[in-house]
Amino acid sequence: IKAFLDISGNSLDGSMPSALTRLTNLEVMSVGLNKLNGVIPSEIGALILLRILVLGDNKLVGGLSSGLWDLTNLVTLGISGNEFGEPLSSRIGQLTKLSHLEASTSEISGTLPTELGKLTELEHLSLHSNKFISRIPTELGLLTKLTTLRIHLNGLDGTIPSTLGNLVQAQDISLNGNMLVGTMPYDICKLVDFGMLNPVRADCLTGDEVICNCCFCFA
């Protein structure tokens, strides 16, 4: 029997209770949809049996706790809808069992870590509506199980890597609301023409942005 704690949607406020980090038998913890503020305690790294951790839709700040990267059994990590305001650590690459990473709308800044390419079990990657300012790492093309890639509404720039054409299971790729330029690689458009991928969302209505004939275009 899985040890399960769900206290989501209860309007809890204040800091995240430290007592939660002593429940070391937990496999599932959901404390989302509350009003928790402050930082994620580093002691959360003691919950090494966790497979599902949901902290989304709170008011958590102060960056992503170093303890998160010790939770190497995580399959699902949901941290969207917070106010972290700091970069995503390269240690994200330690969570190699992740299949679902939801980290959108949380004021995460800096570059997209190349270490995301180590998360080869990922099926859903959502990092949209943050403050990333890097190029799209070519390493994302290693995530061949991805069905969903949402990195729209950031400050990403440069060209779109052709390695995304390796995402043969992809159904949804959203790139709009960035500062990307150049031509959409043919290997990606092939996934629209011959694979399961819906038209890619991109900024392609003017010649100053992405040039694409397999996209749903935004201005």
Side-chain angles (χ1 to χ4, degrees):
I1 300 175
K2 291 182 179 180
F4 185 100
L5 175 67
D6 184 356
I7 52 175
S8 57
N10 281 295
S11 298
L12 300 175
D13 58 13
S15 59
M16 189 171 170
S18 60
L20 294 179
T21 66
R22 295 194 289 272
L23 303 177
T24 54
N25 63 328
L26 283 181
E27 294 184 46
V28 179
M29 179 191 288
S30 179
V31 295
L33 289 167
N34 284 297
K35 299 177 182 179
L36 297 174
N37 53 44
V39 301
I40 301 171
S42 60
E43 292 83 1
I44 200 168
L47 306 182
I48 58 174
L49 298 182
L50 275 183
R51 291 174 51 80
I52 298 173
L53 176 60
V54 179
L55 303 174
D57 296 299
N58 281 290
K59 298 180 180 179
L60 299 170
V61 299
L64 295 168
S65 168
S66 61
L68 287 175
W69 318 129
D70 295 325
L71 303 178
T72 55
N73 284 308
L74 281 180
V75 175
T76 296
L77 176 60
I79 52 176
S80 293
N82 285 291
E83 303 169 8
F84 295 118
E86 293 188 14
L88 181 61
S89 171
S90 61
R91 291 184 64 196
I92 185 71
Q94 296 174 202
L95 306 185
T96 55
K97 294 182 181 179
L98 275 183
S99 66
H100 191 112
L101 175 57
E102 181 69 55
S104 59
T105 322
S106 286
E107 300 185 18
I108 303 173
S109 59
T111 62
L112 286 176
T114 59
E115 288 80 5
L116 287 168
K118 296 179 180 180
L119 308 182
T120 54
E121 296 300 314
L122 270 183
E123 298 176 15
H124 178 98
L125 176 58
S126 184
L127 298 172
H128 69 82
S129 307
N130 281 300
K131 298 181 179 180
F132 292 111
I133 56 172
S134 63
R135 292 183 170 235
I136 299 174
T138 59
E139 288 83 358
L140 292 187
L142 299 172
L143 308 181
T144 55
K145 294 185 179 180
L146 271 187
T147 61
T148 303
L149 174 61
R150 294 175 180 161
I151 51 176
H152 55 284
L153 296 174
N154 279 289
L156 302 172
D157 59 15
T159 58
I160 298 165
S162 61
T163 54
L164 296 188
N166 296 329
L167 307 182
V168 294
Q169 302 297 322
Q171 301 175 30
D172 177 3
I173 295 179
S174 297
L175 307 175
N176 56 290
N178 286 293
M179 296 181 288
L180 301 168
V181 295
T183 301
M184 183 67 65
Y186 173 66
D187 288 343
I188 298 175
C189 285
K190 280 198 305 185
L191 300 180
V192 177
D193 295 337
F194 305 111
M196 299 180 289
L197 181 61
N198 292 313
V200 178
R201 294 177 176 85
D203 300 315
C204 49
L205 285 181
T206 73
D208 297 329
E209 300 169 313
V210 177
I211 300 170
C212 183
N213 60 10
C214 64
C215 291
F216 183 88
C217 291
F218 292 75

